[in-house]
Amino acid sequence: MIYHYTREDVIDALQKTGIAPGDSVFIHSNLGFLGMMKDCGTKEKLCEAFLDALKTAVGDEGTIILPAYSYSFCHGELFDPLTTGTTCGMLSEYVIRNYGFNRSLDPNFSVCGLGQNMDYYKNCNVHEAFGEDSFWERLIKKNGKILCINFDAGSTLIHYIEHLNHVDYRYNKAFNGIKLVDGRQLRDYAVHFVYDYEKPGDAYYPCRIDALCKADGIAKTACLGKGSILAFSAEEYVDYISRLLKTRPRILVKNE
């Protein structure tokens, strides 16, 4: 079988981007564009092998976290952390299937993962996705890193930064719904930091910040298979973009 990279190539690329033992790593992933991994003829085997490489890179004291976003309350749907799917790619789906007990209870922006500090992350504030004691705030406090596999240097962390800096084009909006907790249906709410969809110029525009992060050395990149990966410190990313927002308050949106 023709293959484009190996498990060892994954570990090498992770190390080149600064991923190290003990790290908490939040991962945006698009594995398909990397091509074929050696000895991985199915999606299940690919995800298993990739996760195994990640475990090796962060070690026993590290934590691997993936987005498990479902936007359930946004869509008026029941949220069940054990069975509700995600739109965040095959690796996220694999982690939910195998580690759903480690999924946070945010009905719109849940996270799921495994490792040393996963209990700490999953028990974050699940009502304010981008506010105080949110997953993002906890990741920053733990000196966490963001890993983007075949993605630009954008991240959902952007919305935490926007919230932190009180941007004028987004606002808090509460969504009500029902989630399943310990077999019981509970009525609850979740707050999303949204923009006005009737103002498309206020939509997030990742290309600009991607170019700046790479040019200024905020993100480290490495080739892998047919694609690439990049990683950066969550805290450095927040500080860097917060500084940019002081002089360019619309740097993150389509119509700057």
Side-chain angles (χ1 to χ4, degrees):
M1 178 186 293
I2 296 175
Y3 63 88
H4 303 97
Y5 66 105
T6 66
R7 175 186 176 278
E8 289 70 29
D9 291 334
V10 178
I11 297 170
D12 181 60
L14 292 171
Q15 292 171 343
K16 285 179 178 176
T17 57
I19 304 302
D23 280 345
S24 287
V25 184
F26 180 82
I27 304 161
H28 296 286
S29 64
N30 191 346
L31 299 188
F33 283 93
L34 294 176
M36 295 291 294
M37 186 193 288
K38 185 179 180 181
D39 297 327
C40 295
T42 67
K43 289 182 179 180
E44 194 79 5
K45 287 184 177 180
L46 172 61
C47 291
E48 181 181 3
F50 216 97
L51 192 62
D52 183 64
L54 286 161
K55 289 178 186 177
T56 299
V58 302
D60 292 339
E61 295 184 358
T63 309
I64 299 165
I65 316 114
L66 285 102
Y69 311 156
S70 62
Y71 309 102
S72 297
F73 281 14
C74 295
H75 298 149
E77 299 169 349
L78 172 75
F79 175 67
D80 180 349
L82 295 177
T83 63
T84 296
T86 181
T87 59
C88 296
M90 69 173 82
L91 188 58
S92 289
E93 292 172 351
Y94 177 86
V95 170
I96 291 171
R97 285 196 304 273
N98 291 277
Y99 299 94
F101 53 87
N102 275 341
R103 191 176 187 179
S104 68
L105 295 179
D106 186 324
N108 294 323
F109 291 94
S110 64
V111 298
C112 189
L114 62 151
Q116 182 74 28
N117 293 309
M118 196 59 221
D119 279 349
Y120 170 73
Y121 292 122
K122 78 173 184 178
N123 290 313
C124 61
N125 180 352
V126 297
H127 294 115
E128 300 273 350
F130 304 104
E132 184 177 353
D133 199 36
S134 63
F135 163 73
W136 303 107
E137 187 169 285
R138 290 192 174 201
L139 184 69
I140 293 163
K141 287 181 178 179
K142 286 286 187 181
N143 298 313
K145 295 175 181 175
I146 307 291
L147 172 66
C148 300
I149 302 170
N150 278 324
F151 277 100
D152 52 47
S155 170
T156 319
L157 176 56
I158 285 287
H159 302 321
Y160 172 83
I161 299 170
E162 290 173 318
H163 189 276
L164 183 69
N165 287 276
H166 309 290
V167 298
D168 61 9
Y169 51 84
R170 283 187 178 264
Y171 60 95
N172 281 327
K173 182 175 180 179
F175 294 85
N176 299 312
I178 297 173
K179 60 187 178 185
L180 199 63
V181 181
D182 297 328
R184 297 181 298 132
Q185 290 191 5
L186 301 178
R187 190 169 295 278
D188 208 348
Y189 75 94
V191 177
H192 182 358
F193 198 44
V194 303
Y195 75 95
D196 187 345
Y197 288 94
E198 294 185 0
K199 297 179 179 179
D202 288 350
Y204 172 49
Y205 185 69
C207 296
R208 191 180 300 117
I209 204 66
D210 175 66
L212 287 169
C213 283
K214 290 174 180 175
D216 290 339
I218 300 300
K220 296 180 180 178
T221 63
C223 295
L224 180 61
K226 296 172 67 177
S228 62
I229 67 173
L230 63 85
F232 48 87
S233 157
E235 183 177 20
E236 289 182 10
Y237 190 72
V238 171
D239 291 344
Y240 175 72
I241 297 177
S242 294
R243 289 196 302 272
L244 290 174
L245 284 169
K246 286 179 172 33
T247 56
R248 298 174 64 179
R250 292 181 60 83
I251 194 171
L252 299 172
V253 298
K254 185 175 181 180
N255 290 348
E256 188 183 4

